[in-house]
Amino acid sequence: MNLKRNGALLGVVAVGAVTAMSLTACGSDNNAASATVDTSASTASCEGKDKLSGAGSSAQKNAMDEFTSAYIAACQQKGKSVNVAYNPSGSGDGRTQFIANQIDFAGSDSAIKGDQAEQAKQRCAGSDAWNLPLVFGPVAIAYNLNGVDNLVLNGETIAKIFNGGITKWNDPAIAALNSGAKLPDEKINPIVRSDSSGTSDNFQQYLQASSNGAWTQGAGSDFKGGVGEGAKGSAGVAQAVATAPNSITYVEKSFADQQKLSVAQIDNGSGPVKLSQDSASKAISNATFKGAGTGDLTLDLQSIYGTKEPGAYPLVLATYEIVCSKGYDAATSAAVKSFLTSAANEGQQSLAAQGYVPLPESFRAKINESIAAIA
């Protein structure tokens, strides 16, 4: 996705900036970092062990490549050789490997909780595992509808499309949001994920929060709406919509861009909002946390998905880094803190070019506080 970068990330790269290098990480298929990152002011200590390992969310795979390249470059300037191997094996597998002490950190589209959080305590020497939301990516409502370039939907109409409550493009509920648009009298063809997916889980949580009760199917990694044609993976649903007139799907914006799909505006109750870096960042800036907001930073997703803030695009996928708050050996603790410090700061500089939303400044400050508190 080629969203415009936040102005704070633009400008001439300072002396000492280095071009982020490529890294071959375990399980990854394309690890070339794509942007020039200024690491001259990095606060990463580069202390601890030289090699870290992680696994989990494929949604954050490209972000992890950028983080790793920036970290390597920052530590090279300090005379230290480091490496991070990240396997995008899926959120569930990442949490399982973390609990089993097979990796140093996990990437996950959902916070670790319940029985898994209790199991993680054993791995963390009796201490809690923390969820640190470090990567955000907007999810598009992408569609293929001839003659309609600026479709507007809201949570209720999206829910009814994906649970069969609305079946025609010229349904009065859609027409009311699109005055003057030539909506065809055609059957809507929803395309949904056939595989288990964090995108499906977050999409359905959004529908629960925003549809005024129209979505009663619940959430989870499997799509529960009961309608639509299935396609595997983000690339699969995007390609299916590109070749199927009158179709619609939910997919990460970068995949919609790759297929040149139209993307709906979402009316969160304060008027239609186009998907952009700024509108997604606005929703993230207003996010709140389930706990006290120190240490563990599990998000209260209602604060994002249910936002009424004018100009905020609410459908944003958050992915976490899961780490031990305490319980690492000293070398691992130092390296985890150093890597995450780099990721939360200079690592954010190149994310917009990869289709993610860099952390807003106020949010990034809280992430840095939690990273510093890892013992």
Side-chain angles (χ1 to χ4, degrees):
M1 185 194 328
N2 291 318
L3 295 175
K4 291 182 180 179
R5 294 190 184 187
N6 188 311
L9 301 182
L10 293 173
V12 178
V13 177
V15 175
V18 294
T19 301
M21 305 175 303
S22 63
L23 167 73
T24 303
C26 175
S28 298
D29 56 5
N30 178 12
N31 296 284
S34 62
T36 300
V37 176
D38 182 1
T39 60
S40 61
S42 176
T43 58
S45 69
C46 301
E47 296 175 346
K49 65 182 185 181
D50 297 340
K51 296 181 180 180
L52 284 172
S53 61
S57 167
S58 59
Q60 64 171 242
K61 183 263 181 188
N62 290 337
M64 193 58 60
D65 289 346
E66 299 292 328
F67 293 162
T68 299
S69 295
Y71 184 51
I72 290 172
C75 290
Q76 276 190 333
Q77 290 184 332
K78 298 180 180 183
K80 181 75 178 289
S81 176
V82 297
N83 203 342
V84 181
Y86 183 78
N87 183 1
S89 57
S91 297
D93 180 69
R95 294 192 300 269
T96 298
Q97 288 197 53
F98 178 77
I99 290 168
N101 202 12
Q102 295 172 344
I103 51 177
D104 299 315
F105 67 93
S108 179
D109 299 337
S110 303
I112 196 167
K113 56 189 176 182
D115 290 343
Q116 284 194 323
E118 288 301 312
Q119 294 167 14
K121 279 188 175 182
Q122 298 180 30
R123 180 263 159 88
C124 296
S127 297
D128 290 331
W130 284 351
N131 301 283
L132 304 180
L134 205 60
V135 181
F136 288 85
V139 176
I141 303 300
Y143 65 95
N144 182 342
L145 191 59
N146 187 39
V148 181
D149 297 324
N150 295 295
L151 182 70
V152 178
L153 298 171
N154 59 17
E156 185 172 350
T157 54
I158 296 169
K160 289 181 178 179
I161 287 170
F162 283 92
N163 66 13
I166 291 175
T167 60
K168 288 290 191 75
W169 278 112
N170 63 348
D171 185 280
I174 298 178
L177 294 167
N178 294 273
S179 178
K182 295 181 179 180
L183 297 168
D185 184 20
E186 297 285 351
K187 185 177 183 296
I188 299 173
N189 178 24
I191 306 292
V192 303
R193 289 286 291 269
S194 61
D195 54 326
S196 293
S197 162
T199 308
S200 290
D201 187 17
N202 281 266
F203 174 64
Q204 292 174 115
Q205 290 186 63
Y206 161 72
L207 296 180
Q208 285 181 312
S210 66
S211 67
N212 296 319
W215 186 263
T216 60
Q217 285 69 33
S221 297
D222 295 322
F223 178 74
K224 301 177 182 294
V227 300
E229 299 178 16
K232 186 174 181 180
S234 298
V237 295
Q239 185 175 26
V241 169
T243 57
N246 305 312
S247 59
I248 189 170
T249 194
Y250 56 94
V251 67
E252 292 87 348
K253 181 67 164 56
S254 57
F255 291 92
D257 283 350
Q258 288 171 10
Q259 294 293 336
K260 297 181 171 57
L261 300 177
S262 297
V263 173
Q265 300 176 57
I266 293 181
D267 188 338
N268 65 11
S270 301
V273 180
K274 291 183 178 181
L275 173 49
S276 70
Q277 182 183 317
D278 287 343
S279 63
S281 181
K282 194 166 188 177
I284 297 167
S285 296
N286 294 318
T288 59
F289 306 97
K290 288 189 174 181
T294 55
D296 180 73
L297 294 179
T298 300
L299 291 162
D300 176 3
L301 292 175
Q302 175 69 34
S303 66
I304 299 176
Y305 296 151
T307 183
K308 304 293 185 184
E309 181 75 16
Y313 183 87
L315 187 44
V316 180
L317 172 67
T319 61
Y320 296 90
E321 311 313 324
I322 299 172
V323 299
C324 289
S325 59
K326 298 179 182 178
Y328 289 123
D329 62 79
T332 301
S333 176
V336 167
K337 292 174 70 172
S338 181
F339 171 62
L340 294 181
T341 296
S342 178
N345 293 282
E346 61 267 13
Q348 298 289 315
Q349 292 179 25
S350 57
L351 291 193
Q354 295 294 325
Y356 302 101
V357 182
L359 296 177
E361 183 60 35
S362 60
F363 197 99
R364 188 156 58 96
K366 296 198 72 66
I367 291 285
N368 281 319
E369 288 177 7
S370 290
I371 295 170
I374 296 171

